[in-house]
C-alpha cells in the first residue's frame, strides 16, 4: 500500500520540474512512510511513497522496464492477491523477474497484455503506467473503488494522485470548489467520478483511463452486471463459504505483522474467525483489535440504531477464536481534540462531518499501527449481503430516492440543517439528489421475469454497492493510510460481490433477517451470541463530556464573527446548539456542531476559493 502521484505534460520537459514533483510526492508521506522515489523522462514524471508489505527490499518504485521502443514506468498502490498465479503465467511466457513483489507482476503483466491486465487482477489497486513506447499514460483503478485515485486534466496532459492533496500541490491545480462540489459535501451520496475540487475527477472504479497527445479516453473493464442465479439455498451457502475461505487466505499474505478489526458484529466476527482458523493451521494466533469508549459498556443507552454495546460480543469472539485481542479504549478528550480533527480533515481533504466516528477510527488505526502494518476489516458486508435497516424499512423501499436517505436525518442529523438560507437555496440539494438518483437507477439491469419487488431490492443492493459503499471505503482508506496502516476488505472481492449481488432477495433474507447467507455460511465458527445479534452500526460515544467539548469549541468559533465558515453556516443555529443547557449527547443533535467545526477547520487548512454562483 502506497501513495502515488504524477504529471504528464506533452509540451514541456518535466525533468526540469523536480521541485514540483517532489512537493506532490511528499504530500503522500503518511501513505508511504518506508520509502520514496521519483522518476522523470521527457513529458512524464512519476512520484511514489511506499508502505512496504511484500518483498520489503525488492518492491521499490517507480519501477521501470527498458524496451527497445522506450521505457515503461509504473507507480502502484495496493495489493494484487493473485499475483503468484499471474507470475507463473508470465514466467511461462518468457518473462524474467528480479523481485518477489506484486508490483513487478503488474508491470510485467502490462508488458504482456497491455491495459487488459486489469481484467486479470484480483485485488485493491490504483496504478499509473507511463508507456514511453507510445507516449501515453495509462491509469487503472480496482473494481470496487477500494483504493482512491484522482486526476486533473490540463491543456497539455494530466496531473494525478492517490489523494487530491497531491494534485493541489501542483501550481496548475486551482484550490476552488464550485456549487456541485459543495453539493457533494452535503449529501450522503458519492457521485461516481466527482472529486469536489474544480477541474479534478476520480478515476472511476473498474475503469482504464488513457491520456495521450490526442486527449483522455476511458474504458470500463468491469461493472456490476445482472445475471440469473440458479443455485439452491444450500449450494449458495456453500459457495459463499468457499469464496470466503479463499479470499481470507489470499488476503492474509504479507511479510509484515497483520491483524483483524473486530467489532463483535457478524461481519468482522466471521472474518476474524476464518482468519484465526487459517493461521491456526500454521501455529499462529491472529491479533484482533476493537474500539471502545471509557465507561460505554457500563453506561450504554440503547437506541433505534444501536441496541447493544459491542464489547461483550467482541470478547465472545476473541475467546472462541482464541485471538490475541486488545481493546483500544478512547476518552472524550481525545475524541474532541482539535488536533485530531485537523488530522482527520487533512487525511480526507474534505470536511466530512462525522465527528467522533472519524476521530475514533483514526485513533484506533493509530494505536493498531504501533503493533501491526496490515489489518483485515469486515467493511462492505452490509452492502454485499443486505445488512442495513433500510433494506427492511418499507419507507426506504418505497421512496423514489437513495434508500439510506429516508432515515439518515433521524439517525445522524441533517447535513444541510446548519446552512444559511441563501446557501441552501443556491445548492438546491433536493434537485441535485433527484438528478443523481435518476442517473443511478437508469443503468440497473432487470432480470427477465423478475418481480417488481425483487427488482426494487436489486436496485437497492446495486445503489449500496455503487454509491453508498464507496463513501465508506474512501473513509476507511484515508483514515488508515493517514497513519500508514493498510486495511484490506475481504468482502469487496469482486467474485463474492458478483455472486451475492445476483442472489434474489428471497435468498439473501431467507430467514427473515439481515445477511442470512453470511450468517449461515459462517455459523460453525461464530459464538451463538454473535449469530443471534441484530446489526449494530459503527459505534459512537455517548459521553456528555464530548458534547460539552464541542459546545465549548463552537463558542470559541462564534467569538470570531469574521471566520469564513459563517459564509456557509447559519450563525444563529450554531449559537443555539452551543448554548443548550443540556449537552447535545445524541449523535443526531451533535452533528450540526461537528459539521460546523469540520467546515471551519477545512477552510483554515485549505483556504479554498468557494464559488456559490
Amino acid at each position: 500500500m502506497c501513495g502515488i502521484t504524477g504529471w504528464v505534460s506533452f509540451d514541456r520537459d518535466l525533468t526540469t520540474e523536480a521541485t514540483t514533483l517532489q512537493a506532490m510526492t511528499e504530500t503522500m508521506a503518511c501513505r508511504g512512510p518506508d520509502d520514496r522515489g521519483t522518476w522523470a523522462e521527457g513529458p512524464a514524471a512519476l512520484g511514489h511513497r511506499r508502505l512496504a508489505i511484500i518483498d520489503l527490499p525488492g518492491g521499490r518504485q517507480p519501477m521501470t522496464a527498458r524496451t527497445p521502443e522506450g521505457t515503461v514506468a509504473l507507480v502502484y498502490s495496493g495489493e494484487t492477491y493473485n499475483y503468484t498465479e499471474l507470475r507463473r503465467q508470465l514466467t511461462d511466457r518468457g518473462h524474467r523477474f528480479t523481485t518477489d513483489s506484486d508490483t513487478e507482476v503488474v508491470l510485467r503483466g502490462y508488458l504482456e497484455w497491455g491495459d487488459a491486465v486489469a481484467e486479470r487482477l484480483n485485488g485493491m489497486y490504483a496504478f499509473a503506467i507511463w508507456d514511453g513506447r507510445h507516449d501515453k499514460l495509462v491509469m487503472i483503478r480496482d473494481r470496487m473503488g477500494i483504493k482512491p485515485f484522482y486526476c486533473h486534466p490540463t491543456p497539455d496532459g494530466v496531473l494525478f494522485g492517490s489523494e487530491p492533496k497531491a494534485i493541489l500541490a501542483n501550481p496548475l491545480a486551482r484550490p476552488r470548489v464550485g456549487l456541485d462540489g459543495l453539493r457533494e459535501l452535503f449529501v450522503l451520496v458519492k457521485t461516481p467520478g466527482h472529486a469536489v475540487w474544480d477541474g479534478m475527477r476520480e478515476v472511476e472504479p473498474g475503469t482504464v483511463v488513457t491520456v495521450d497527445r490526442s486527449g483522455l479516453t476511458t474504458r470500463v473493464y468491469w461493472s456490476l452486471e445482472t445475471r440469473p442465479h440458479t443455485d439452491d439455498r444450500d449450494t449458495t451457502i456453500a459457495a459463499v463459504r468457499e469464496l470466503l475461505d479463499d479470499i481470507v487466505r489470499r488476503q492474509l499474505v504479507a511479510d509484515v505483522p497483520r491483524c483483524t478489526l473486530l467489532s463483535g458484529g457478524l461481519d468482522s466476527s466471521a472474518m476474524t474467525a476464518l482468519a484465526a482458523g487459517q493461521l491456526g493451521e500454521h501455529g499462529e494466533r491472529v491479533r484482533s483489535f476493537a474500539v471502545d469508549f471509557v465507561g460505554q459498556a457500563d453506561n450504554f443507552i440503547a437506541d433505534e440504531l444501536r441496541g447493544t454495546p459491542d464489547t461483550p460480543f467482541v470478547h465472545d469472539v476473541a475467546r472462541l477464536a482464541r485471538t490475541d485481542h486488545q481493546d483500544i479504549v478512547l476518552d472524550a478528550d481525545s475524541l474532541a481534540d482539535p488536533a485530531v480533527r485537523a488530522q482527520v480533515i487533512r487525511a480526507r481533504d474534505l470536511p466530512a462531518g462525522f465527528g467522533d466516528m472519524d476521530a475514533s477510527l483514526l485513533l484506533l488505526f493509530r494505536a493498531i499501527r504501533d503493533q501491526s502494518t496490515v489489518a483485515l476489516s469486515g467493511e462492505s458486508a452490509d452492502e454485499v449481503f443486505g445488512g442495513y435497516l433500510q433494506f427492511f424499512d418499507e419507507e426506504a423501499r418505497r421512496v423514489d430516492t437513495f434508500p439510506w436517505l429516508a432515515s439518515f436525518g433521524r439517525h445522524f442529523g441533517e447535513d444541510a440543517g446548519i446552512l444559511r438560507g441563501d446557501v441552501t437555496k443556491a445548492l438546491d440539494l433536493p434537485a441535485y439528489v433527484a438528478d443523481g438518483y435518476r442517473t443511478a437507477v437508469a443503468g440497473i439491469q432487470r432480470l427477465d421475469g423478475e418481480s417488481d419487488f425483487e427488482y426494487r431490492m436489486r436496485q437497492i443492493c446495486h445503489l449500496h454497492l455503487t454509491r453508498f459503499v464507496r463513501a465508506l471505503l474512501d473513509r476507511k482508506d484515508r483514515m488508515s493510510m493517514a497513519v500508514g496502516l493498510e486495511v484490506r476488505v475481504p468482502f469487496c472481492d469482486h467474485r463474492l460481490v458478483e455472486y451475492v449481488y445476483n442472489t434474489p432477495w428471497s435468498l439473501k433474507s431467507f430467514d427473515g433477517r439481515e445477511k442470512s447467507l453470511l450468517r449461515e455460511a459462517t455459523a460453525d465458527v461464530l459464538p451463538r451470541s454473535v449469530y443471534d445479534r441484530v446489526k449494530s452500526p459503527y459505534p459512537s460515544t455517548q459521553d456528555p463530556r464530548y458534547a460539552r467539548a464541542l459546545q465549548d469549541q463552537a463558542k470559541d468559533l462564534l467569538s470570531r464573527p469574521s471566520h469564513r465558515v459563517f459564509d456557509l453556516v447559519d450563525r444563529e443555529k450554531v449559537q443555539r446548539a452551543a448554548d443548550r443547557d443540556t449537552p447535545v449527547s445524541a449523535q443526531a443533535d451533535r452533528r450540526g456542531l461537528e459539521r460546523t467545526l469540520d467546515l471551519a477547520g477545512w477552510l483554515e487548512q485549505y483556504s479554498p476559493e468557494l464559488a456559490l454562483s
Side-chain angles (χ1 to χ4, degrees):
M1 197 78 78
C2 307
I4 65 173
T5 191
W7 182 7
V8 170
S9 176
F10 291 108
D11 292 344
R12 55 175 112 187
D13 178 5
L14 292 185
T15 60
T16 65
E17 298 288 348
T19 301
T20 300
L21 179 62
Q22 172 79 7
M24 296 170 70
T25 303
E26 288 312 298
T27 65
M28 301 285 97
C30 290
R31 297 186 70 90
D34 296 329
D35 197 9
R36 63 169 299 280
T38 58
W39 174 91
E41 185 176 280
L46 308 178
H48 186 265
R49 292 289 314 212
R50 186 184 184 207
L51 176 63
I53 301 295
I54 292 173
D55 188 10
L56 305 191
R60 297 197 68 191
Q61 298 184 49
M63 188 174 284
T64 60
R66 304 285 181 182
T67 77
E69 296 80 22
T71 300
V72 178
L74 166 71
V75 280
Y76 168 85
S77 170
E79 302 293 341
T80 297
Y81 301 124
N82 64 334
Y83 80 98
T84 54
E85 296 99 310
L86 294 175
R87 183 186 176 102
R88 284 196 295 270
Q89 293 175 28
L90 291 164
T91 300
D92 291 343
R93 290 171 176 261
H95 290 267
R96 295 294 174 262
F97 290 84
T98 60
T99 75
D100 293 325
S101 69
D102 59 338
T103 304
E104 188 178 9
V105 171
V106 173
L107 177 59
R108 293 284 165 187
Y110 176 80
L111 293 173
E112 181 67 31
W113 298 301
D115 66 29
V117 68
E119 285 91 335
R120 296 173 180 265
L121 302 179
N122 177 306
M124 56 177 188
Y125 45 83
F127 59 91
I129 295 176
W130 172 252
D131 191 337
R133 302 169 302 179
H134 307 289
D135 272 6
K136 67 179 182 180
L137 181 76
V138 178
M139 297 179 283
I140 299 177
R141 190 177 180 194
D142 66 68
R143 296 167 180 84
M144 292 295 291
I146 304 167
K147 300 310 300 173
F149 203 179
Y150 296 86
C151 67
H152 187 300
T154 64
D156 71 333
V158 71
L159 310 170
F160 69 85
S162 292
E163 298 178 3
K165 60 175 67 69
I167 295 171
L168 293 171
N170 189 299
L172 294 177
R174 182 180 176 187
R176 182 179 187 273
V177 178
L179 278 175
D180 276 354
L182 289 170
R183 288 171 179 132
E184 285 289 307
L185 294 181
F186 290 99
V187 294
L188 191 66
V189 180
K190 191 168 175 58
T191 304
H194 210 296
V196 176
W197 301 92
D198 279 8
M200 203 179 298
R201 54 179 279 189
E202 277 192 312
V203 175
E204 292 189 38
T207 66
V208 177
V209 176
T210 302
V211 180
D212 59 21
R213 293 182 184 275
S214 63
L216 182 151
T217 58
T218 300
R219 176 176 75 85
V220 177
Y221 73 88
W222 184 87
S223 60
L224 195 55
E225 296 181 352
T226 296
R227 300 176 186 140
H229 183 82
T230 57
D231 291 345
D232 62 19
R233 181 194 299 178
D234 290 344
T235 304
T236 300
I237 292 169
V240 168
R241 177 57 178 269
E242 183 178 356
L243 280 168
L244 287 173
D245 284 337
D246 180 67
I247 293 164
V248 171
R249 182 172 290 107
R250 289 177 182 274
Q251 297 199 19
L252 283 172
V253 174
D255 294 335
V256 293
R258 57 224 190 279
C259 66
T260 67
L261 308 178
L262 179 58
S263 71
L266 175 60
D267 319 334
S268 66
S269 299
M271 180 269 302
T272 295
L274 293 175
Q278 292 183 12
L279 290 180
E281 295 171 1
H282 304 285
E284 295 183 60
R285 289 180 68 187
V286 69
R287 306 190 74 174
S288 60
F289 294 88
V291 68
D292 196 6
F293 308 108
V294 173
Q296 184 109 324
D298 295 331
N299 302 293
F300 181 80
I301 300 172
D303 58 26
E304 186 180 355
L305 275 182
R306 301 175 179 90
T308 51
D310 288 345
T311 302
F313 300 92
V314 166
H315 293 172
D316 286 349
V317 175
R319 279 191 295 269
L320 182 64
R322 299 179 60 81
T323 74
D324 181 5
H325 180 75
Q326 182 177 344
D327 292 326
I328 306 300
V329 183
L330 306 175
D331 59 31
D333 289 342
S334 299
L335 294 170
D337 186 347
V340 172
R341 179 178 298 110
Q343 188 177 1
V344 167
I345 293 167
R346 182 64 180 169
R348 301 195 70 170
D349 292 311
L350 296 172
F354 280 95
D356 72 301
M357 292 194 295
D358 275 351
S360 66
L361 193 63
L362 179 73
L363 293 170
L364 169 67
F365 288 158
R366 183 189 293 172
I368 292 173
R369 185 60 177 87
D370 290 337
Q371 304 174 62
S372 291
T373 311
V374 171
L376 271 62
S377 165
E379 188 88 81
S380 307
D382 287 306
E383 290 82 3
V384 174
F385 289 96
Y388 293 117
L389 283 177
Q390 56 262 26
F391 282 93
F392 297 86
D393 185 325
E394 288 301 325
E395 179 189 2
R397 288 171 170 176
R398 287 194 309 268
V399 293
D400 194 28
T401 190
F402 297 100
W404 53 90
L405 298 182
S407 59
F408 181 83
R410 184 172 73 251
H411 297 315
F412 296 100
E414 292 293 347
D415 257 15
I418 60 167
L419 295 176
R420 289 171 33 156
D422 57 333
V423 176
T424 300
K425 183 177 179 180
L427 294 182
D428 192 7
L429 295 178
Y432 186 74
V433 170
D435 288 345
Y437 178 72
R438 283 191 293 270
T439 300
V441 297
I444 302 174
Q445 303 161 307
R446 185 169 186 166
L447 195 65
D448 289 344
E450 196 167 43
S451 70
D452 289 345
F453 174 73
E454 281 287 352
Y455 180 53
R456 178 54 183 163
M457 295 312 298
R458 179 182 294 279
Q459 288 180 320
I460 290 175
C461 292
H462 194 284
L463 293 169
H464 278 84
L465 289 166
T466 59
R467 297 299 194 276
F468 191 78
V469 76
R470 292 179 185 176
L472 299 183
L473 289 172
D474 186 73
R475 170 178 177 261
K476 176 272 306 172
D477 178 88
R478 301 297 194 91
M479 294 297 99
S480 61
M481 294 306 292
V483 298
L485 176 70
E486 174 175 297
V487 176
R488 300 176 177 179
V489 278
F491 291 110
C492 276
D493 186 292
H494 72 278
R495 298 169 299 161
L496 181 69
V497 172
E498 291 171 346
Y499 184 78
V500 177
Y501 170 67
N502 282 298
T503 59
W505 182 252
S506 59
L507 191 51
K508 286 187 179 75
S509 59
F510 66 79
D511 59 0
R513 299 185 61 191
E514 77 280 3
K515 296 180 284 195
S516 306
L517 291 173
L518 176 59
R519 184 178 294 102
E520 290 307 314
T522 56
D524 61 310
V525 296
L526 295 172
R528 188 70 200 190
S529 60
V530 171
Y531 181 92
D532 290 335
R533 191 186 186 195
V534 175
K535 161 71 183 175
S536 183
Y538 184 85
S540 176
T541 183
Q542 297 178 341
D543 193 331
R545 289 171 294 183
Y546 172 73
R548 283 194 290 268
L550 292 181
Q551 290 176 303
D552 290 342
Q553 292 170 25
K555 290 175 183 176
D556 178 69
L557 184 62
L558 287 161
S559 72
R560 294 176 279 163
S562 62
H563 197 290
R564 290 183 66 200
V565 74
F566 297 115
D567 294 337
L568 294 174
V569 305
D570 188 314
R571 180 183 173 85
E572 292 184 3
K573 292 178 181 177
V574 178
Q575 188 77 62
R576 286 196 296 270
D579 288 342
R580 284 188 188 180
D581 292 333
T582 304
V584 284
S585 297
Q587 188 173 346
D589 294 333
R590 297 192 313 242
R591 186 159 169 80
L593 291 178
E594 291 171 328
R595 214 20 161 157
T596 300
L597 293 168
D598 274 11
L599 279 166
W602 176 63
L603 292 167
E604 291 166 10
Q605 284 197 49
Y606 286 82
S607 300
E609 176 189 344
L610 302 180
L612 291 170
S613 60

PDB file of all heavy atoms in Angstrom, residues 483-497:
ATOM      1  N   VAL A 483      -2.098   7.052   8.900  1.00  0.00           N
ATOM      2  CA  VAL A 483      -1.155   6.582   9.908  1.00  0.00           C
ATOM      3  C   VAL A 483      -0.290   5.436   9.377  1.00  0.00           C
ATOM      4  O   VAL A 483       0.415   4.773  10.135  1.00  0.00           O
ATOM      5  CB  VAL A 483      -1.888   6.151  11.200  1.00  0.00           C
ATOM      6  CG1 VAL A 483      -2.613   7.335  11.816  1.00  0.00           C
ATOM      7  CG2 VAL A 483      -2.854   5.001  10.949  1.00  0.00           C
ATOM      8  N   GLY A 484      -0.354   5.183   8.066  1.00  0.00           N
ATOM      9  CA  GLY A 484       0.486   4.145   7.476  1.00  0.00           C
ATOM     10  C   GLY A 484       0.036   2.733   7.775  1.00  0.00           C
ATOM     11  O   GLY A 484       0.864   1.821   7.877  1.00  0.00           O
ATOM     12  N   LEU A 485      -1.280   2.518   7.885  1.00  0.00           N
ATOM     13  CA  LEU A 485      -1.830   1.183   8.127  1.00  0.00           C
ATOM     14  C   LEU A 485      -2.583   0.736   6.886  1.00  0.00           C
ATOM     15  O   LEU A 485      -3.453   1.453   6.390  1.00  0.00           O
ATOM     16  CB  LEU A 485      -2.779   1.198   9.329  1.00  0.00           C
ATOM     17  CG  LEU A 485      -3.501  -0.113   9.653  1.00  0.00           C
ATOM     18  CD1 LEU A 485      -2.521  -1.153  10.200  1.00  0.00           C
ATOM     19  CD2 LEU A 485      -4.635   0.130  10.654  1.00  0.00           C
ATOM     20  N   GLU A 486      -2.278  -0.448   6.390  1.00  0.00           N
ATOM     21  CA  GLU A 486      -3.016  -0.996   5.249  1.00  0.00           C
ATOM     22  C   GLU A 486      -4.207  -1.801   5.762  1.00  0.00           C
ATOM     23  O   GLU A 486      -4.036  -2.762   6.515  1.00  0.00           O
ATOM     24  CB  GLU A 486      -2.121  -1.902   4.406  1.00  0.00           C
ATOM     25  CG  GLU A 486      -2.882  -2.615   3.291  1.00  0.00           C
ATOM     26  CD  GLU A 486      -1.977  -3.411   2.375  1.00  0.00           C
ATOM     27  OE1 GLU A 486      -1.125  -2.771   1.722  1.00  0.00           O
ATOM     28  OE2 GLU A 486      -2.114  -4.636   2.297  1.00  0.00           O
ATOM     29  N   VAL A 487      -5.408  -1.410   5.347  1.00  0.00           N
ATOM     30  CA  VAL A 487      -6.622  -2.137   5.732  1.00  0.00           C
ATOM     31  C   VAL A 487      -7.187  -2.827   4.502  1.00  0.00           C
ATOM     32  O   VAL A 487      -7.503  -2.172   3.493  1.00  0.00           O
ATOM     33  CB  VAL A 487      -7.674  -1.194   6.355  1.00  0.00           C
ATOM     34  CG1 VAL A 487      -8.950  -1.967   6.657  1.00  0.00           C
ATOM     35  CG2 VAL A 487      -7.125  -0.571   7.637  1.00  0.00           C
ATOM     36  N   ARG A 488      -7.326  -4.130   4.593  1.00  0.00           N
ATOM     37  CA  ARG A 488      -7.852  -4.931   3.492  1.00  0.00           C
ATOM     38  C   ARG A 488      -9.324  -5.255   3.747  1.00  0.00           C
ATOM     39  O   ARG A 488      -9.750  -5.360   4.897  1.00  0.00           O
ATOM     40  CB  ARG A 488      -7.034  -6.219   3.334  1.00  0.00           C
ATOM     41  CG  ARG A 488      -5.566  -5.942   3.038  1.00  0.00           C
ATOM     42  CD  ARG A 488      -4.722  -7.207   2.984  1.00  0.00           C
ATOM     43  NE  ARG A 488      -3.331  -6.902   2.630  1.00  0.00           N
ATOM     44  CZ  ARG A 488      -2.368  -7.812   2.530  1.00  0.00           C
ATOM     45  NH1 ARG A 488      -2.639  -9.101   2.765  1.00  0.00           N
ATOM     46  NH2 ARG A 488      -1.149  -7.450   2.193  1.00  0.00           N
ATOM     47  N   VAL A 489     -10.066  -5.421   2.668  1.00  0.00           N
ATOM     48  CA  VAL A 489     -11.522  -5.598   2.787  1.00  0.00           C
ATOM     49  C   VAL A 489     -11.955  -6.865   2.037  1.00  0.00           C
ATOM     50  O   VAL A 489     -12.341  -6.805   0.864  1.00  0.00           O
ATOM     51  CB  VAL A 489     -12.285  -4.366   2.272  1.00  0.00           C
ATOM     52  CG1 VAL A 489     -12.360  -3.287   3.323  1.00  0.00           C
ATOM     53  CG2 VAL A 489     -11.638  -3.786   1.013  1.00  0.00           C
ATOM     54  N   PRO A 490     -11.905  -8.021   2.700  1.00  0.00           N
ATOM     55  CA  PRO A 490     -12.247  -9.283   2.029  1.00  0.00           C
ATOM     56  C   PRO A 490     -13.624  -9.290   1.376  1.00  0.00           C
ATOM     57  O   PRO A 490     -13.814  -9.921   0.325  1.00  0.00           O
ATOM     58  CB  PRO A 490     -12.162 -10.305   3.171  1.00  0.00           C
ATOM     59  CG  PRO A 490     -11.189  -9.709   4.141  1.00  0.00           C
ATOM     60  CD  PRO A 490     -11.420  -8.239   4.076  1.00  0.00           C
ATOM     61  N   PHE A 491     -14.603  -8.609   1.976  1.00  0.00           N
ATOM     62  CA  PHE A 491     -15.959  -8.656   1.433  1.00  0.00           C
ATOM     63  C   PHE A 491     -16.095  -7.859   0.132  1.00  0.00           C
ATOM     64  O   PHE A 491     -17.155  -7.911  -0.508  1.00  0.00           O
ATOM     65  CB  PHE A 491     -16.959  -8.147   2.469  1.00  0.00           C
ATOM     66  CG  PHE A 491     -17.110  -9.081   3.645  1.00  0.00           C
ATOM     67  CD1 PHE A 491     -16.628  -8.731   4.895  1.00  0.00           C
ATOM     68  CD2 PHE A 491     -17.726 -10.313   3.498  1.00  0.00           C
ATOM     69  CE1 PHE A 491     -16.754  -9.591   5.981  1.00  0.00           C
ATOM     70  CE2 PHE A 491     -17.858 -11.180   4.570  1.00  0.00           C
ATOM     71  CZ  PHE A 491     -17.375 -10.814   5.817  1.00  0.00           C
ATOM     72  N   CYS A 492     -15.048  -7.152  -0.284  1.00  0.00           N
ATOM     73  CA  CYS A 492     -15.071  -6.441  -1.562  1.00  0.00           C
ATOM     74  C   CYS A 492     -14.440  -7.240  -2.698  1.00  0.00           C
ATOM     75  O   CYS A 492     -14.308  -6.722  -3.812  1.00  0.00           O
ATOM     76  CB  CYS A 492     -14.365  -5.097  -1.433  1.00  0.00           C
ATOM     77  SG  CYS A 492     -15.415  -3.783  -0.793  1.00  0.00           S
ATOM     78  N   ASP A 493     -14.061  -8.466  -2.453  1.00  0.00           N
ATOM     79  CA  ASP A 493     -13.570  -9.306  -3.547  1.00  0.00           C
ATOM     80  C   ASP A 493     -14.653  -9.369  -4.625  1.00  0.00           C
ATOM     81  O   ASP A 493     -15.803  -9.703  -4.355  1.00  0.00           O
ATOM     82  CB  ASP A 493     -13.245 -10.707  -3.022  1.00  0.00           C
ATOM     83  CG  ASP A 493     -12.601 -11.593  -4.078  1.00  0.00           C
ATOM     84  OD1 ASP A 493     -13.305 -11.955  -5.051  1.00  0.00           O
ATOM     85  OD2 ASP A 493     -11.426 -11.941  -3.927  1.00  0.00           O
ATOM     86  N   HIS A 494     -14.295  -9.053  -5.859  1.00  0.00           N
ATOM     87  CA  HIS A 494     -15.309  -8.925  -6.907  1.00  0.00           C
ATOM     88  C   HIS A 494     -16.038 -10.229  -7.196  1.00  0.00           C
ATOM     89  O   HIS A 494     -17.194 -10.225  -7.634  1.00  0.00           O
ATOM     90  CB  HIS A 494     -14.691  -8.354  -8.191  1.00  0.00           C
ATOM     91  CG  HIS A 494     -13.796  -9.305  -8.921  1.00  0.00           C
ATOM     92  ND1 HIS A 494     -12.480  -9.512  -8.568  1.00  0.00           N
ATOM     93  CD2 HIS A 494     -14.023 -10.099 -10.002  1.00  0.00           C
ATOM     94  CE1 HIS A 494     -11.933 -10.383  -9.391  1.00  0.00           C
ATOM     95  NE2 HIS A 494     -12.840 -10.760 -10.268  1.00  0.00           N
ATOM     96  N   ARG A 495     -15.387 -11.354  -6.954  1.00  0.00           N
ATOM     97  CA  ARG A 495     -16.066 -12.640  -7.182  1.00  0.00           C
ATOM     98  C   ARG A 495     -17.224 -12.818  -6.212  1.00  0.00           C
ATOM     99  O   ARG A 495     -18.318 -13.277  -6.597  1.00  0.00           O
ATOM    100  CB  ARG A 495     -15.059 -13.786  -7.017  1.00  0.00           C
ATOM    101  CG  ARG A 495     -13.900 -13.760  -7.998  1.00  0.00           C
ATOM    102  CD  ARG A 495     -12.836 -14.766  -7.590  1.00  0.00           C
ATOM    103  NE  ARG A 495     -12.292 -14.452  -6.269  1.00  0.00           N
ATOM    104  CZ  ARG A 495     -11.623 -15.323  -5.502  1.00  0.00           C
ATOM    105  NH1 ARG A 495     -11.447 -16.572  -5.922  1.00  0.00           N
ATOM    106  NH2 ARG A 495     -11.144 -14.949  -4.340  1.00  0.00           N
ATOM    107  N   LEU A 496     -17.006 -12.454  -4.957  1.00  0.00           N
ATOM    108  CA  LEU A 496     -18.066 -12.541  -3.955  1.00  0.00           C
ATOM    109  C   LEU A 496     -19.167 -11.532  -4.249  1.00  0.00           C
ATOM    110  O   LEU A 496     -20.366 -11.854  -4.171  1.00  0.00           O
ATOM    111  CB  LEU A 496     -17.482 -12.290  -2.563  1.00  0.00           C
ATOM    112  CG  LEU A 496     -18.457 -12.368  -1.384  1.00  0.00           C
ATOM    113  CD1 LEU A 496     -18.915 -13.808  -1.172  1.00  0.00           C
ATOM    114  CD2 LEU A 496     -17.811 -11.818  -0.119  1.00  0.00           C
ATOM    115  N   VAL A 497     -18.780 -10.316  -4.599  1.00  0.00           N
ATOM    116  CA  VAL A 497     -19.764  -9.268  -4.892  1.00  0.00           C
ATOM    117  C   VAL A 497     -20.666  -9.686  -6.048  1.00  0.00           C
ATOM    118  O   VAL A 497     -21.896  -9.574  -5.977  1.00  0.00           O
ATOM    119  CB  VAL A 497     -19.052  -7.937  -5.207  1.00  0.00           C
ATOM    120  CG1 VAL A 497     -20.057  -6.899  -5.716  1.00  0.00           C
ATOM    121  CG2 VAL A 497     -18.326  -7.415  -3.974  1.00  0.00           C
TER     122      VAL A 497
END
